[in-house]
Amino acid sequence: MIESYIPIFLILAVAVVFGVVSANMSWLLGPQRPNRAKNSTYESGMEPVRTAHDRFSVKYYMVAVLFILFDIEVVFMYPWAVQYRNLGLYGFVEMVVFIGILLVGFVYVIKKGALQWD
Amino acid sequence: MDVLDIAIALIKIVVMFVVVLLTVAELVYTERKISAWIQNRVGPNRVGWLGLLQPYADVVKLLLKEDIVPAAANRFIHTLAPVISIGVAFSTLAVIPIAGPTITLFGRTVHMVIADVNVGILYVLALTSMGVYGLTLSGWASNNKYSLLGGLRSAAQMISYELSMGLSLIGVIMITGSLQLTDIVHHQHGWMWNLVLQPVGFITFLVASFAETNRAPFDLPEAEPELVGGYHTEYSSFKFALFFLAEYANMITSSAVITTLYLGGWQVPYLETFGLSDGWMVLVQILAFMLKVAFLLFFFQWVRWSVPRFRYDQLMNLGWKVMLPLAIANIVLTGALLLFL
């Protein structure tokens, strides 16, 4: 069982080594001539105003929270889908009920305007 | 699993890396050529025969450029972000089977897949969602307003479309009854590709793949006219090249996943009637797999240069109010058809 995962750890290791080495390659090979103007943050040629680490629209958080809610429901469907042919009509009805409840929440979210971008 | 098995696995990994890197190089070239043809231009034609060496010239140029990290940036995360992007883009390919029969190497049976895990689909989904971190962290670490907006957009976009991606897959799993990618390919024998059995799921998955790879018409995270370069505004030299590499590697990965799930993977209809030996079968199947992937890659580029970019609210509306209900309807429909047919 666990043996089939060894190549996955290998490929992750190879990919990370490749990434770390090549991300630092230009630092080794390229020139190093920093100056204040070059190292300042790019803001269309203007002097940067404040930092970018500031508050941003709450809508992004809304999307993230909704994603977590719905994604957990999706996770429940995977084991059901694998066993679907063995469950028969019982499994089908169960899932229709489950999806029905899911859709009620979905309609509520849309009616509340949580996904309104304007 | 002993040393020889690990050595064989390593050989497979290295071969895959080299193939993907070379394909990325040529993809950059075909992207520029296809865009040139579509826009009635010539495209790169100076470096090498027909400009074929252009991507390699670009790589050398980027390698020798100065690595600029803005003074306000978080140095460690600024370097970490491209590593995450590229690592995720490559690692997903580990579970993709490229041929059916096994071949014998050093007295061992070698399967034409790097890791045949029984939760292959979950592995693919897990890694693609990891990809969000690379883009979001790069946007945050740069401490640049354009980068931050690009990073936030990509996070919101990718998680929105991941839902419909995960849901469209469920139809395929219901038909196959397994999460293992080799099982899914075996199940699409002959012409019984999942494309035929799951047309709606295929379309939602394809659209979600475009959004997940940040390709046009969903390239909002790097929308040039409004966000300069989006999340990679503050990246230069080879770190920038890594994001570029990751984008194209992600295209290859998505095409490979779509091929495996919906286009029959390595299946070639009626191939077994020719009575070929296993070695030839493997060769033909790898070729067929690569052709299918190549076609999808061409499709990715074709769409990029033909379709204008979405507006952000249109993108979110499409993801949540069209794709999600469509994917759910596909599950119910598949369930009903499997039950009553």
Side-chain angles (χ1 to χ4, degrees), chain B residues 104-117:
Chain B
T104 312
L105 201 66
F106 311 125
R108 298 289 169 98
T109 36
V110 178
H111 295 273
M112 288 290 115
V113 52
I114 291 172
D116 190 17
V117 294

Side-chain angles (χ1 to χ4, degrees), chain A residues 3 5 12 22 25-26 31 33 38-39 42-44 49 51-53 67 77-78 84-85 99 106 117, chain B residues 1 63-64 66 70-71 119 125 140 143-146 148 159 166 170 173 175 234 237-238 313 320 328 335:
Chain A
E3 281 201 343
Y5 287 90
L12 285 172
S22 46
M25 213 54 159
S26 292
R33 284 189 286 275
K38 193 192 276 175
N39 285 359
Y42 176 77
E43 208 159 300
S44 307
V49 184
T51 166
H53 292 167
F67 164 73
M77 292 189 191
Y78 282 97
Y84 182 71
R85 281 172 190 270
I99 288 175
F106 181 66
W117 290 79
Chain B
M1 195 151 202
L63 264 177
L64 299 176
E66 182 176 354
V119 290
L125 284 176
W140 182 83
N143 203 349
N144 175 322
K145 293 171 194 92
Y146 298 118
L148 183 72
I159 59 179
I170 288 175
I173 301 168
I175 289 173
E234 291 290 3
S237 75
F238 213 67
D313 58 324
W320 285 92
I328 290 175

Side-chain angles (χ1 to χ4, degrees), chain B residues 32-62:
Chain B
R32 293 176 66 176
K33 270 293 188 202
I34 289 171
S35 74
W37 289 331
I38 288 177
Q39 298 168 343
N40 205 5
R41 294 183 285 116
V42 180
N45 65 348
R46 292 299 156 118
V47 190
W49 183 63
L50 293 178
L52 269 170
L53 293 178
Q54 183 68 46
Y56 301 98
D58 291 345
V59 166
V60 172
K61 184 195 77 175
L62 282 164

